[in-house]
Amino acid sequence: MEPVDEYEHEFETGAGAEPPDEAIPVTREVDHGTAKLMPDVDRARAWLLTVDGAPQSYVDLDAPTHLEFEYARRLAHVLDTAAAPGRPLDVTHLGGGALTLPRYVAATRPGSRQDVVEADRGLLRLVAEQLPWERDSGITVHGADARQWLDAAPDDSADLLVADVFGGSRVPAHLTTVAYARAAERVLRPDGVYAANLADGAPFTFLRSQLATFAQVFEELALIAEPSVLRGRRFGNAVLIASHAPLDIAALARRAASDTFPARVEHGAALRRLVGGAKAVRDEDAVPSPVPPGGAFGVG
């Protein structure tokens, strides 16, 4: 695994700094494309981050519990129901973006320890400079490949593992396999929870393969998605949840149903029907998630 200490120090020095007073768009070439930070005209210190036109994060520096994107709220439902409200947790985030969910956890579960792993160091420098986080937030940022970092992480070191890794608009192939799922299981504590943001559309070849893959490793599975996505009417996000411990399906379902864009929680027999005859993914057979259809996620 590539050393990251120098980068962690660099990002830490940006933490706690004051963002620019004037909210003007920022465009910068980063390691994996062109990043843009665009201010929200309706919220004083809120920003949308895109990379090559694909939305990556939305952050309100004054209101870290405000989650603009539906998939972020669904991941937050998992974070909220994983333990008693306010209880500090050890959380590993694969994929950093603008640190939307790490900021959310720091606000809702003070005292949590969080590792954020993001391969695009240029993007992390931009976020540290323009959207700094508090020094005492418990957030540690690592400039590293998610799979390499996970393979080297200590056993039983995380209560939650949140995966939101996209190369452009696609989940990288090496984060889709049984070997990857076993690495996630090893890093999680026995009652830990894995949650991943995925994207697919009918006939759900990728999504079904991911459910089959994680079913080989974890005893409990659930999926959160909008009914229109589950019915195959459009391409969209789906949050996969995996654990050895029973999931609080009722609490997840209540939260998903009460969202601005209501979603369903699939589990048990309904989820097994969705998986059908899909096979788990081996490293040698892995492919990235499908390319989204034109206009599915892009912004102008």
Side-chain angles (χ1 to χ4, degrees), residues 60-95:
D60 188 329
L61 298 178
D62 291 330
T65 60
H66 174 77
L67 302 176
E68 187 76 10
F69 294 164
E70 291 87 355
Y71 81 82
R73 292 197 292 274
R74 289 164 195 155
L75 288 169
H77 298 332
V78 181
L79 292 162
D80 290 342
T81 58
R87 174 186 150 194
L89 296 172
D90 293 333
V91 186
T92 295
H93 302 264
L94 303 181

Side-chain angles (χ1 to χ4, degrees), residues 121-177:
R121 297 181 175 98
L123 180 61
L124 287 177
R125 293 187 192 99
L126 173 65
V127 171
E129 173 190 311
Q130 299 290 327
L131 308 175
W133 55 95
E134 297 298 328
R135 290 184 182 276
D136 60 355
S137 63
I139 297 170
T140 302
V141 175
H142 308 268
D145 174 81
R147 176 75 178 267
Q148 289 180 339
W149 193 93
L150 193 65
D151 286 343
D155 293 359
D156 300 329
S157 56
D159 298 305
L160 281 132
L161 178 53
V162 180
D164 186 17
V165 184
F166 282 79
S169 298
R170 307 178 74 184
V171 178
H174 67 307
L175 303 181
T176 67
T177 69

Side-chain angles (χ1 to χ4, degrees), residues 95-131:
L99 280 63
T100 302
L101 286 171
R103 298 173 202 261
Y104 177 88
V105 172
T108 59
R109 296 183 178 274
S112 294
R113 294 184 300 176
Q114 302 188 78
D115 287 300
V116 181
V117 185
E118 169 59 59
D120 193 323
R121 297 181 175 98
L123 180 61
L124 287 177
R125 293 187 192 99
L126 173 65
V127 171
E129 173 190 311
Q130 299 290 327
L131 308 175

